[in-house]
Amino acid sequence: MASLQFITHETEQFSYREGAFMALEAGCKWIQLRMKDVAVETVRQLAEELKKACENHHALLIIDDYVEVAREVKADGVHLGKNDMPIEEARKLLGEGFIIGGTANTFEDVKRHYEAGADYLGIGPFRFTTTKKNLSPVLGLEGYRNIKQQMIEADIILPAVAIGGITVEDIPAILATGIEGIAMSGAILQAHDPDAEIKRILTM
């Protein structure tokens, strides 16, 4: 499980493609291609290009939501939000070779994803974020501690990645809750030097 997952997002400075390639060049080993409200063909074209680039950088490519695209371009996996295809259905389509992650906001979400066969969890949001619509209740450090404790008590062993409004300064405290990884987008893309910011995170 990569300690840093970069999630693509379009900003004034970066296109989806530019952000993803910048993250790869900076050493990030896990790219999630997230393109909401975009034509499937546009997602497919960038996914095909990114798949080759990720292979060259020995990085994983995860496609957000578009299960068929992930299968067609032979991505490493998919990430499924609460309103996306159910994990069980995605597993039937993709088989055991694909990584499948699920978004969770509560322990009930965690339990459901675990029973459905998810490979990892994206738990959040940590705090309010403008990169996502229809935001679930904010968790904060206490929320992560509670969910991780419930996972231990239920003997659920599944890598958990924190997501949602995270800054570099937040990372040590989040990892101290038992969370295994950090997913970031806006804080990196809006940094004065995004390349340096990624390198700094990777040394933490």
Side-chain angles (χ1 to χ4, degrees):
M1 177 60 60
S3 59
L4 173 64
Q5 300 185 9
F6 176 78
I7 300 179
T8 62
H9 181 62
E10 205 163 35
T11 68
E12 289 181 8
Q13 287 87 9
F14 290 94
S15 66
Y16 291 114
R17 182 187 183 279
E18 289 165 345
F21 274 81
M22 178 275 298
L24 283 173
E25 293 295 334
C28 187
K29 296 300 181 185
W30 181 298
I31 305 294
Q32 183 189 130
L33 179 60
R34 185 176 189 273
M35 299 173 74
K36 291 294 185 187
D37 306 318
V38 174
V40 175
E41 189 51 43
T42 304
V43 178
R44 184 183 293 109
Q45 286 175 357
L46 182 50
E48 286 175 348
E49 188 179 358
L50 269 181
K51 175 60 180 168
K52 295 189 184 89
C54 284
E55 285 175 351
N56 291 338
H57 287 84
H58 305 290
L60 295 173
L61 174 63
I62 304 296
I63 309 291
D64 181 85
D65 186 7
Y66 294 91
V67 175
E68 290 292 350
V69 171
R71 184 170 68 168
E72 287 167 17
V73 305
K74 296 182 173 61
D76 297 288
V78 292
H79 185 89
L80 300 169
K82 289 191 171 187
N83 299 317
D84 298 336
M85 181 185 290
I87 287 171
E88 298 94 331
E89 194 177 326
R91 182 64 74 197
K92 285 177 189 169
L93 281 169
L94 298 173
E96 293 301 320
F98 278 75
I99 298 166
I100 299 181
T103 297
N105 178 248
T106 64
F107 175 68
E108 286 68 33
D109 294 337
V110 169
K111 192 166 180 288
R112 190 171 67 253
H113 292 336
Y114 176 73
E115 290 169 352
D119 296 298
Y120 76 93
L121 304 162
I123 304 180
F126 173 64
R127 68 161 60 88
F128 179 78
T129 173
T130 57
T131 62
K132 194 164 186 180
K133 298 174 186 173
N134 306 317
L135 205 63
S136 295
V138 170
L139 291 170
L141 292 173
E142 195 58 36
Y144 286 132
R145 276 193 286 267
N146 288 341
I147 288 175
K148 287 299 290 186
Q149 185 58 40
Q150 287 174 289
M151 288 175 69
I152 291 166
E153 289 168 2
D155 200 26
I156 292 176
I157 300 170
L158 206 55
V161 178
I163 185 169
I166 296 167
T167 67
V168 177
E169 289 70 32
D170 296 320
I171 293 174
I174 291 174
L175 294 178
T177 68
I179 292 284
E180 287 85 2
I182 304 289
M184 297 179 77
S185 180
I188 288 171
L189 293 173
Q190 290 157 18
H192 174 68
D193 185 342
D195 182 275
E197 194 80 334
I198 288 177
K199 287 173 178 166
R200 180 158 74 105
I201 294 164
L202 292 173
T203 62
M204 296 177 82

